[in-house]
Amino acid sequence: MENNQEQVRQSFSKQLTQREVEQRTVLFPFDVVTSVFEFQEGQLFCIDAIDNLEKVWLFIGMFHNNEELGNCVSICLRQFSVEKGLKANDEITFTERPQQEGTRTSKRFKVEIKRKIRLFGQDIWGELMV
């Protein structure tokens, strides 16, 4: 008999700041990602992601706990940021994808970028298709 229970997919997102765009690194507050990752301070981790064009990306993240940054997770977006032309106020979303047991130690995600455009006096969020 087939199991019809749908796996819960966790996601986290935020709007990029000008500083994050310039540094090509996004910071997520720890409480936003704590249910998705298990962290140790200073330890690197990998995020295996696929974008809307089916291109695979590997992001490196790190947990930080210091006075300047507070408790947060940084995710490096260097090449992704350049190729996608990220701008301040773009929204980045990581949604966990199902993973086969025993295949990888990195988390697998879908990564989406949405940009706000103004159309006929209305703000509309559209997915960036680059």
Side-chain angles (χ1 to χ4, degrees):
M1 183 189 229
E2 220 176 286
N3 184 355
N4 291 331
Q5 291 182 346
E6 189 173 315
Q7 185 177 1
V8 176
R9 294 186 183 178
Q10 297 181 3
S11 66
F12 54 98
S13 64
K14 75 172 291 197
Q15 283 186 318
L16 299 174
T17 65
Q18 184 63 39
R19 182 176 181 182
E20 290 170 324
V21 171
E22 290 168 0
Q23 294 181 351
R24 297 186 176 125
T25 299
V26 63
L27 298 175
F28 289 95
F30 182 67
D31 60 341
V32 171
V33 295
T34 191
S35 64
V36 180
F37 298 104
E38 295 177 22
F39 299 106
Q40 290 183 346
E41 184 177 352
Q43 182 179 8
L44 296 175
F45 61 95
C46 295
I47 298 174
D48 179 12
I50 190 166
D51 65 17
N52 56 351
L53 301 175
E54 303 294 317
K55 183 170 181 177
V56 177
W57 298 90
L58 182 64
F59 301 113
I60 303 297
M62 180 183 273
F63 171 71
H64 302 275
N65 183 11
N66 63 40
E67 290 181 20
E68 183 183 337
L69 297 173
N71 291 336
C72 68
V73 172
S74 65
I75 299 175
C76 181
L77 304 173
R78 292 201 192 286
Q79 189 63 32
F80 182 81
S81 180
V82 170
E83 285 192 31
K84 299 292 184 181
L86 298 183
K87 297 181 180 181
N89 297 318
D90 284 352
E91 182 178 271
I92 187 167
T93 301
F94 289 92
T95 304
E96 196 168 12
R97 297 184 297 148
Q99 182 172 329
Q100 295 177 349
E101 287 189 34
T103 56
R104 299 193 171 163
T105 57
S106 63
K107 294 279 188 168
R108 294 172 40 148
F109 290 87
K110 176 172 174 127
V111 60
E112 296 176 291
I113 301 294
K114 292 188 178 178
R115 184 169 288 162
K116 184 169 53 171
I117 59 172
R118 191 131 178 102
L119 186 63
F120 302 114
Q122 299 283 330
D123 288 338
I124 298 171
W125 285 91
E127 190 172 352
L128 195 59
M129 301 296 285
V130 177

